[in-house]
Amino acid sequence: MTLTSEEIRKRFLHFFEKRGHAILPSVSLVPENDPSALFTTAGVQPLVPYILQGSHPQGRRLASVQKCVRTTDIDEVGDKTHATFFEMLGNWSIGDYFKEDAIAWSYELLTNADEGFGLDPKRLYVTVYEGDDESPRDTESVEFWKKAGVPEDRIYFLGESNFWSAGENGPCGPSTEMFYDLTQEGLGDLTPEEFKKADNDQQVVEIWNDVFMEYRKENGRVVEKLPQKNVDTGSGLERLMAVLQNKESIFETDVFRDLMQAAGDLSQDPRAQRIIADHIRSATFLIGDGVLPSNTDAGYILRRLLRRAIVKTTAKNLSAEEVSDLVGAVTKVYKSSYPELTEKQGNIEQVIKDEAAKFEKTLQQGLKKLEKIEGDISGQDAFLLFATYGFPIEMTAELAQERGISIDREGFEKELLEHQEKSRTASAGKFRGGLGGGGEMEVKYHTATHLLNAALQRVLGEHVQQKGSNITEERLRFDFSHSEKLTDEQKQHVEKLINTWIQEDLPVTCKETTVEEAKAEGAQGVFESKYGDKVTVYSVGDGETVASKEICGGPHVNRTGELTGTFRIKKEESASAGVRRIKAVLE
Ligand code: SER
């Protein structure tokens, strides 16, 4: 059966809707309220809190098609089955059905031609968990597979790969995975060893994973059974498409057709074409969800994807900006599933053009510099390529590998750290200058600045770092690393935290300590001093409420109650790429 991507999504959702599942929309690629993850990497991710709490407002049976970005496999992109962006088809049971129904439905959807995908059962293989001291051998799933129609000799016991966790802290459990034979001639029965080899050689491909979430992990260890049993399944749309459209790789399926053709104009190398197509597709979706290129976090991953795609282009007389021409091929194929991309197409192209123009200025010189390096790449050279020519370190490492030379990553990290400390010292200088005469109002704003820094970290995440500050008698101004505009909700949340701390009249205390101790205590601030030097750390709050802890020269108020008035954000804007600026008052 040849089904288009559109039909596959519809069939999947319809199948589960008919079986009592509520259909959830795809959430953003940038997780809300979850500073621990840069991207949405699985359909289950936005559902984890509901699984832990044991209920979801839309019921116990849920299904979705979720857009995902995973960069852990970035080096594999270019083979038959890996991509940095993919869509995950998933169905969930929150304390409702368990192994028997999940397995029966997986089998039915895959093999039934009327309601499902009509796949050939003779090309299907499944794996189950072999067990360890935390979770037993999953013989139950074997029985349910046999009942569904899979012969016992097509069921293989595997270890670690068949135990899935939603992070180091979260729900987890044994999983059972379904594989499909991609070869023309058909592999037939396979011994466990032959099956593992066929998997390694990409002759069979994993198309679906059913996780039976009955445990909870804490710091990477299973600590308890969840009060109820849950199911979390995930099937990669791109891989299903390859199978259903009878293609040898995901790059020949309908979502990639136009993109690969366009990538063909940018490079002659087939693997490079796949990388360009994949990276521009991911970049299009990421920018569509509000990510902008920057040097930190999600913005850095986006920058890496775009610059890597540009470096992979080999066509002569090409301007780097031409990679933005591929955006249209992405928006077109996703027009009905993700209409927001079409709406934002112009903006997405512009962001890519701007980034390409920035990179183009230094790209050729950087490549020349790289060619001139004799022997291996030192930490200093790698840092020069990064800081002066804009080469992401991972990209330099890859270029080194292509040339058969090594790169001193540790040396690079050291250079980077030194550089960051220098620039922090510079902004600290500004900070002090900004303090002016230390008048009464300025001192209040100075303490308020510490509270703002702490509140932003709580609301936006740990990536927030002070990039500059300026205080007058009328207001404070604070620059910090973050690449997106703050939503009204985020601003209100920040204001509320600060006003609560003010109302609580928390004590502000100061102590002298060493840089090392300050760091160990989690103090924020400028670590400019040498090893062993004394620094002062200001803490706001004590006991249960430590609102902020920061290395700083002062002066500060004695208690937060002295910050008379209400803290209000008056303006929030971009200061430079990846840096936001807030102006705020006490009024
Ligand atoms: N969460 C599991 C996975 O990512 C199943 O959805 O494979």
Side-chain angles (χ1 to χ4, degrees), residues 42 44 70 88 164 209 211 232-234:
V44 71
R70 275 188 199 178
M88 193 183 275
W164 200 91
N209 182 18
V211 185
D232 155 38
T233 91

Side-chain angles (χ1 to χ4, degrees), residues 489-531:
E489 269 168 20
Q490 288 171 329
K491 284 189 272 191
Q492 280 158 13
H493 192 171
V494 167
E495 287 175 348
K496 200 170 151 211
L497 270 174
I498 296 173
N499 288 318
T500 310
W501 289 328
I502 294 176
Q503 270 160 22
E504 284 171 349
D505 194 22
L506 302 171
V508 181
T509 52
C510 167
K511 73 165 181 186
E512 219 179 54
T513 178
T514 60
V515 183
E516 293 67 41
E517 270 173 36
K519 273 192 205 177
E521 284 178 18
Q524 300 297 312
V526 183
F527 299 106
E528 62 188 294
S529 312
K530 288 195 299 294
Y531 185 85

Side-chain angles (χ1 to χ4, degrees), residues 440-489:
E440 208 183 270
M441 232 14 238
E442 284 146 334
V443 173
K444 287 182 187 174
Y445 276 130
H446 186 191
T447 307
T449 301
H450 280 217
L451 296 181
L452 176 59
N453 192 1
L456 287 168
Q457 287 209 350
R458 298 237 198 344
V459 174
L460 303 177
E462 305 239 307
H463 62 276
V464 168
Q465 273 191 356
Q466 174 168 337
K467 292 285 175 193
S469 166
N470 173 283
I471 290 166
T472 70
E473 281 189 18
E474 280 83 39
R475 55 118 183 97
L476 67 84
R477 193 182 81 197
F478 185 68
D479 294 354
F480 59 98
S481 49
H482 186 64
S483 32
E484 283 183 84
K485 190 172 169 52
L486 268 62
T487 62
D488 287 344
E489 269 168 20

Side-chain angles (χ1 to χ4, degrees), residues 189-209:
D189 291 338
L190 298 172
T191 64
E193 282 63 41
E194 287 167 344
F195 170 76
K196 277 183 208 157
K197 185 169 182 320
D199 181 21
N200 269 340
D201 297 345
Q202 297 199 308
Q203 291 184 304
V204 295
V205 59
E206 181 208 328
I207 49 171
W208 204 349
N209 182 18

